[in-house]
Amino acid sequence: KILSALGYSKGNQYQPLEGYDVAIIITAVKLSRLVWGSEKFDTWVDIAGYAACGWECVESQKGDTPRLAEEGYD
């Protein structure tokens, strides 16, 4: 249901997933775990890590090398 809510219902047409799609999907799994117990610190850390990986995938598709420290995100 989470994936459908995020727009991954693509009907009968095959569309390959991008790297950032994988980060979104794994984040959705982690979010579903938080519903059953928000006290697991490592789940929160994992979500932050997957978000960073997803952003790096988006940036790499543009042909740019991610430079988070240069953008003030170090």
Side-chain angles (χ1 to χ4, degrees):
K1 290 182 180 181
I2 290 173
L3 294 177
S4 294
L6 291 173
Y8 285 98
S9 178
K10 296 186 180 189
N12 296 329
Q13 191 175 17
Y14 173 75
Q15 293 179 335
L17 296 176
E18 301 290 342
Y20 64 84
D21 289 315
V22 176
I24 292 170
I25 292 167
I26 294 172
T27 301
V29 170
K30 292 293 184 173
L31 288 171
S32 71
R33 289 181 182 170
L34 286 178
V35 171
W36 298 104
S38 60
E39 69 280 350
K40 294 213 172 200
F41 177 73
D42 63 321
T43 301
W44 291 99
V45 172
D46 290 346
I47 290 170
Y50 294 133
C53 289
W55 177 249
E56 289 185 13
C57 290
V58 168
E59 287 294 299
S60 69
Q61 285 184 333
K62 294 182 197 175
D64 298 335
T65 303
R67 295 186 176 95
L68 296 178
E70 290 179 12
E71 296 178 20
Y73 298 106
D74 52 0

